[in-house]
Amino acid sequence: MPRRLYSCTPSRLNTWLDCPRRYRYTYLDRPAPQKGPPWAHNSVGASVHNALAAWWREPYERRTPAVAGVLLTRGWLTDGFRDQEQSTEWRDRARDMVMSYTGTLDPSDEPVGVERTVATRTSVIAVSGRVDRIDRRGDELVIVDYKTGRRPLTEDDARTSLALAVYAVCASRVLHRSCHRVELHHLPTASVATWTHTPDTLRRHLSRAEDIAEEAAKADEDYRSLRAEDSAAPPLDDRFPARPGPICSWCDFRRHCSEGRAAGPARQPWEGLADLSEDGEIRAGGAGPAAP
């Protein structure tokens, strides 16, 4: 019998790499364990992403920075902030970010895709994902990923991103056009980190995705076997070990994981936000969760 393809997203693969325990809580346990409170930095990221997607869906004549600001304000998410004052402060800052960013864009340069789902299959995986934006520049496609996290991004971030490489492969196969360039657009610092892959580097990333998928697929099978045997929690925890580290302080499932709780102090829902100076500018840098 042919082997069943492992259906996944880059996020699922990266979750397995980061922490098998969190992978189990997220993708296997049903009902899933209750998560902690929502994070304010995720609200900022989602609000900005939604506003930019909506901006590209506006008629050409309405694609102005002012309209981007209105879309951000209308769709602002308030979850996770310390209080109304902090939420309002960050709403205004996020509005300025999207207005400044859209001011650098050509509204007539229609993207090939906005929040576009792309997918492909190999002999091992059926992988899919949703791309923030796909541009066409000359005969090539370009993957554009928006970032709003506190840490400025580098060329190395673009080069090593499994997700961006997989999106490039998927986009080229779905849209039948070459795609080698990937870009991280960091709105807080108005910077762009880019990398141009070669066919070899894309193949290596896809091969890495397959290797990760084979590990995760085997763990999925073991999980089903353990559940079928009505096994107690310890065997499951042994098969899906925690990988304690600084990120445990930001984990949604921290309350269910003793190793994670021991790895570091709990964080308040708004602590992932970058610091703001007195004039409202972001002071980027410092430790924090992965950027949305």
Side-chain angles (χ1 to χ4, degrees):
M1 292 291 291
R3 181 173 57 179
R4 182 178 180 181
L5 298 183
Y6 180 76
S7 181
C8 60
T9 63
S11 178
R12 182 169 182 145
L13 297 176
N14 281 324
T15 300
W16 171 257
L17 266 187
D18 291 342
C19 180
R21 182 75 52 78
R22 181 159 61 90
Y23 174 91
R24 176 190 131 201
Y25 290 153
T26 304
Y27 296 105
L28 301 181
D29 282 353
R30 291 296 179 268
Q34 185 179 6
K35 292 184 177 182
W39 300 97
H41 61 270
N42 286 342
S43 292
V44 174
S47 298
V48 168
H49 279 70
N50 292 341
L52 291 175
W55 188 80
W56 281 112
R57 297 185 185 110
E58 291 285 334
Y60 162 74
E61 62 275 8
R62 284 183 49 80
R63 291 178 192 164
T64 65
V67 168
V70 170
L71 292 169
L72 185 285
T73 300
R74 286 179 180 171
W76 182 245
L77 302 173
T78 60
D79 295 332
F81 292 96
R82 181 182 58 238
D83 50 33
Q84 182 60 50
E85 180 182 1
Q86 186 185 54
S87 175
T88 300
E89 183 179 36
W90 273 92
R91 182 201 64 196
D92 294 345
R93 177 57 191 167
R95 183 181 62 223
D96 291 344
M97 278 196 290
V98 298
M99 291 177 66
S100 177
Y101 177 71
T102 52
T104 68
L105 302 176
D106 180 355
S108 67
D109 191 11
E110 200 75 37
V112 175
V114 174
E115 294 290 330
R116 172 70 185 261
T117 297
V118 292
T120 193
R121 295 184 175 209
T122 73
S123 60
V124 177
I125 56 175
V127 62
S128 63
R130 190 168 62 180
V131 186
D132 291 342
R133 199 174 86 217
I134 304 174
D135 289 349
R136 181 169 58 206
R137 301 180 196 165
D139 293 331
E140 286 267 338
L141 300 177
V142 177
I143 300 297
V144 174
D145 194 39
Y146 306 130
K147 293 296 182 183
T148 59
R150 62 195 297 168
R151 182 177 68 85
L153 301 168
T154 67
E155 181 183 83
D156 223 36
D157 292 306
R159 178 182 64 83
T160 60
S161 171
L162 177 69
L164 293 182
V166 168
Y167 293 156
V169 172
C170 292
S172 67
R173 295 184 181 181
V174 169
L175 299 170
H176 307 291
R177 191 177 291 269
S178 294
C179 183
H180 297 96
R181 184 179 175 92
V182 297
E183 298 181 350
L184 294 167
H185 291 208
H186 190 242
L187 274 71
T189 55
S191 61
V192 177
T194 69
W195 182 256
T196 301
H197 283 287
T198 66
D200 282 343
T201 62
L202 288 176
R203 276 194 295 271
R204 285 199 292 271
H205 272 289
L206 195 59
S207 177
R208 179 167 172 255
E210 290 178 328
D211 290 343
I212 299 167
E214 289 184 320
E215 289 183 16
K218 179 61 169 65
D220 288 6
E221 292 175 6
D222 292 346
Y223 179 89
R224 289 189 288 270
S225 297
L226 289 166
R227 281 300 194 194
E229 295 168 7
D230 195 25
S231 297
L236 279 176
D237 284 349
D238 290 345
R239 184 63 183 89
F240 295 88
R243 290 187 180 151
I247 200 66
C248 291
S249 293
W250 307 96
C251 182
D252 287 331
F253 301 106
R254 172 186 171 82
R255 68 176 68 177
H256 307 286
C257 179
S258 59
E259 294 96 322
R261 292 194 302 275
R267 298 289 185 171
Q268 295 292 343
W270 55 85
E271 286 191 63
L273 298 170
D275 294 332
L276 287 177
S277 62
E278 290 184 1
D279 61 3
E281 291 299 311
I282 286 181
R283 293 196 293 265

